[in-house]
Amino acid sequence: MTAQTWHYGLIAKWWAEFNDDFRPHEIPYFQRYIERGQPALDVACGTGRLLLPYLRAGLDVDGCDVSADMVALCREKAEREGLSPTLWAQPMHELDPPRTYKTIFVCGAFGLGSTREQDFEALRRFRDDLEPGGTLLLDVEVPYADAELWRYWLKDERGSLPQGASRPKSLSPASDGTELGLRSRVVDFDPLAQRVTYEMHAEQWRDGAQEAEEDHVLSINLYFKNELLMMLEQAGFTDVVVEGDHNDAPPTNDDDFIVFVARIAP
């Protein structure tokens, strides 16, 4: 199975235009680790939401993403600012970077479009691509953070899937004069596999007329804390600390995201 995402075409364009302000507190959190351990690798860098601020700060950071469309848009954005990052398209479980790193970070992307076997292989490759004493930072949204999704753990609720298709509720003006809109829906949920499948519908409009529309499907593996802790240990990480929502504090029941800070021996 080849890892898939919905971050292609119009969806990649939407990400490049409108996603830079998403969860801004993540940027300083990862930056503190990068400043203590360079070079760093931004795995699933997308269109550069985290990568570009780090490059502007003069940090030595490379980036990769499974989507060639996202990588191309990231490179375009960087070049407009006179930046020349090392970027390439590659899924996590096939990671083969040009050098090793003191810090590898994966923000909001682990388990997207992959199998659990591929996720474990990705962890093993992260470990192999870290320098001695290096640090992996990996965050996940806890499965119970989304109240709408959580209800599909119940058998009676799953009978209502797939959710009905609809058009985007609104359009947002893009820099090229077009307007873009997105709509997502849950089409399948497997509690035994801890896996949810979404469909994303994207539309592009100009002067009141629709120019294009696309549909992409993405399956996401859902991880609870203890399963991912065991996977990290089996992948060779000997020092793993779990923190709350990018806050340098122990996790609590109220955190929607948790971060795994995994180190290897010097």
Side-chain angles (χ1 to χ4, degrees):
M1 173 182 168
T2 301
Q4 299 289 332
T5 78
W6 55 33
H7 300 104
Y8 296 96
L10 294 180
I11 298 174
K13 179 180 177 182
W14 191 95
W15 241 254
E17 291 276 350
F18 308 119
N19 200 45
D20 286 349
D21 295 331
F22 178 71
R23 294 180 59 82
H25 65 286
E26 295 170 343
I27 295 175
Y29 175 84
F30 291 109
Q31 183 166 342
R32 291 193 291 273
Y33 284 93
I34 297 168
E35 289 172 343
R36 297 195 293 264
Q38 300 177 62
L41 174 61
D42 183 351
V43 175
C45 65
T47 60
R49 179 174 70 91
L50 278 67
L51 180 62
L52 293 180
Y54 300 152
L55 295 174
R56 295 184 197 114
L59 299 174
D60 184 5
V61 187
D62 298 340
C64 66
D65 196 279
V66 67
S67 167
D69 290 358
M70 299 283 269
V71 169
L73 289 166
C74 182
R75 182 173 286 110
E76 290 176 11
K77 294 174 72 173
E79 289 176 349
R80 286 199 294 269
E81 298 188 35
L83 302 169
S84 302
T86 298
L87 300 171
W88 68 94
Q90 196 168 55
M92 296 182 201
H93 68 279
E94 296 178 0
L95 186 64
D96 185 19
R99 56 176 173 166
T100 56
Y101 300 91
K102 284 288 188 183
T103 306
I104 294 177
F105 59 100
V106 188
C107 181
F110 189 73
L112 272 63
S114 53
T115 66
R116 269 177 158 72
E117 292 76 16
Q118 289 172 338
D119 290 346
F120 179 74
E121 175 63 14
L123 295 179
R124 192 189 66 77
R125 291 188 179 234
F126 298 157
R127 190 251 179 266
D128 290 346
D129 293 326
L130 281 169
E131 296 178 9
T135 302
L136 169 68
L137 299 151
L138 185 153
D139 67 11
V140 293
E141 184 177 16
V142 293
Y144 44 86
D146 185 335
E148 179 185 18
L149 181 61
W150 185 249
R151 67 190 181 98
Y152 294 121
W153 290 82
L154 302 176
K155 180 168 57 177
D156 291 343
E157 294 289 345
R158 288 196 303 278
S160 66
L161 293 177
Q163 292 177 336
S166 61
R167 308 299 293 270
K169 293 181 179 180
S170 62
L171 299 173
S172 300
S175 57
D176 63 355
T178 64
E179 293 180 295
L180 300 174
L182 293 183
R183 181 269 303 149
S184 68
R185 63 177 181 136
V186 179
V187 295
D188 187 52
F189 186 86
D190 185 340
L192 190 61
Q194 294 175 207
R195 188 173 178 87
V196 59
T197 302
Y198 290 94
E199 179 193 77
M200 182 76 83
H201 175 77
E203 297 183 3
Q204 177 172 290
W205 292 68
R206 188 187 299 271
D207 299 326
Q210 186 183 90
E211 289 187 331
E213 62 179 342
E214 296 175 1
D215 290 293
H216 297 276
V217 174
L218 172 67
S219 293
I220 302 175
N221 295 321
L222 305 176
Y223 286 100
F224 292 92
K225 183 189 74 171
N226 289 338
E227 180 184 4
L228 198 41
L229 274 174
M230 288 189 292
M231 290 172 65
L232 286 162
E233 292 170 358
Q234 291 170 357
F237 292 92
T238 56
D239 179 9
V240 183
V241 175
V242 184
E243 297 187 349
D245 192 350
H246 308 88
N247 57 15
D248 300 301
T252 73
N253 294 334
D254 295 328
D255 285 313
D256 289 340
F257 281 77
I258 54 176
V259 186
F260 297 80
V261 183
R263 297 180 174 88
I264 60 175

